[in-house]
Amino acid sequence: MVGPQRPLFVLFGSSIVQLSYSDDGWGATLADIYSRKADILLRGYSGWNSRRALQVVNQVFPKDASVQPSLVIVYFGGNDSVGPHSSGLGPHVPLPEYIENMRKIAIHLKSLSEKTRIIFLSCPPVNEEMIHESNSRYGGIFCHLDRTNEACQRYSEACLELCREIDVKAIDLWSAIQKRDDWMTTSFTDGIHLSSEGSKIVVEEILKVLKEAEWEPCLHWKSLPTEFSEDSPCDPVASDGKNTINLSELTFHTKIQWD
């Protein structure tokens, strides 16, 4: 660890998480928004389902770690929701097992510390036509995956219902993304994974939860202190030649001024 110690946010999930640092992804955007305020740690594993995540959750989040995360954002469900393969192999997890796996993951994360907060992301929608078109581009990697928007909705609703039951914050990505009229053409890179436009929706929803949650301390970016934000004679000199300009809070480099 390097110091001073900042709040630690961990993104835990499948490819929606692993790829979130690519092409203006939502993970990279969060890291930018929280620069000098919190450290964003990526723990994403492409192709994983809730069953595999549960097998290693104790290793990813050991209870005896000297520093526990302030926030864990969890996403599993899309791979679980694909239809079962005749071989018995593959990522499919039956809905009842998916619910119990996510429950156990939440229980473990809650046990890390009294200050560890959790947000579950529900299964986003998919563009089935785009998935089929992407198969040729990716050499048929998705050819055996029966992934439908209807199944995504079932797993999304199950995740949200579980979160209401166990008092975990949840974001309904299946509904949030479909609020855009052009969601099918703008939200994905391949019908499954999120484009920069799709990622913007995820960031907006996460920031909304963090702003509204009655957590102490508040984890919204505007509420967290900026590291080494005091004025300094080493700062750039102002136009009057007598004062300096403190750049610690400036966000002029961002295309979107996040709330």
Side-chain angles (χ1 to χ4, degrees):
M1 291 292 292
V2 295
Q5 185 175 314
R6 304 174 183 176
L8 176 63
F9 295 0
V10 183
L11 315 182
F12 180 47
S14 57
S15 56
I16 294 291
V17 172
Q18 181 173 331
L19 303 181
S20 70
Y21 270 45
S22 301
D23 301 322
D24 294 322
W26 61 273
T29 300
L30 284 178
D32 179 41
I33 293 171
Y34 277 89
S35 63
R36 297 179 67 168
K37 293 175 178 287
D39 290 326
I40 312 293
L41 189 63
L42 190 66
R43 289 294 181 266
Y45 306 91
S46 289
W48 279 32
N49 56 18
S50 64
R51 185 183 295 164
R52 196 165 182 190
L54 183 60
Q55 292 171 352
V56 302
V57 69
N58 290 284
Q59 295 170 253
V60 179
F61 300 96
K63 290 186 178 182
D64 60 352
S66 58
V67 177
Q68 294 294 356
S70 298
L71 174 68
V72 184
I73 300 177
V74 181
Y75 168 72
F76 293 101
N79 295 322
D80 300 68
S81 74
V82 303
H85 193 269
S86 57
S87 67
L89 302 173
H92 171 71
V93 172
L95 189 58
E97 182 190 343
Y98 166 72
I99 296 169
E100 289 310 304
N101 289 345
M102 297 300 282
R103 183 193 306 275
K104 292 173 182 177
I105 290 171
I107 290 172
H108 178 79
L109 295 176
K110 283 187 172 185
S111 72
L112 297 178
S113 85
E114 294 182 355
K115 293 294 186 180
T116 297
R117 311 303 184 185
I118 307 166
I119 299 174
F120 275 12
L121 307 180
S122 83
C123 191
V126 295
N127 181 330
E128 297 172 31
E129 182 178 348
M130 189 180 289
I131 293 173
H132 294 307
E133 293 173 353
S134 298
N135 262 328
S136 57
R137 225 184 334 146
Y138 294 139
I141 191 172
F142 300 136
C143 63
H144 297 300
L145 296 184
D146 178 20
R147 193 184 294 259
T148 67
N149 205 29
E150 180 183 359
C152 289
Q153 182 182 18
R154 291 199 305 273
Y155 280 69
S156 173
E157 291 175 349
C159 177
L160 298 173
E161 176 60 32
L162 170 66
C163 289
R164 285 190 288 268
E165 177 188 335
I166 63 177
D167 192 26
V168 165
K169 299 291 185 184
I171 293 174
D172 181 359
L173 286 187
W174 195 85
S175 298
I177 288 176
Q178 293 185 81
K179 288 178 181 178
R180 284 187 58 152
D181 293 337
D182 60 351
W183 70 272
M184 293 189 73
T185 57
T186 62
S187 298
F188 309 104
T189 59
D190 54 14
I192 298 172
H193 301 103
L194 299 173
S195 66
S196 60
E197 290 301 311
S199 282
K200 288 177 185 176
I201 297 171
V202 180
V203 173
E204 289 172 356
E205 295 297 320
I206 290 173
L207 294 181
K208 187 186 305 180
V209 169
L210 293 176
K211 187 175 184 178
E212 297 175 355
E214 296 180 354
W215 290 338
E216 182 59 43
C218 177
L219 298 178
H220 187 258
W221 70 281
K222 290 184 178 179
S223 297
L224 291 176
T226 299
E227 188 175 276
F228 301 129
S229 60
E230 63 275 4
D231 292 338
S232 168
C234 297
D235 287 336
V237 180
S239 58
D240 62 9
K242 300 177 181 179
N243 298 293
T244 57
I245 302 173
N246 189 326
L247 302 178
S248 63
E249 302 287 353
L250 293 183
T251 57
F252 57 82
H253 67 287
T254 60
K255 298 177 182 177
I256 300 174
Q257 295 300 306
W258 299 97
D259 188 19

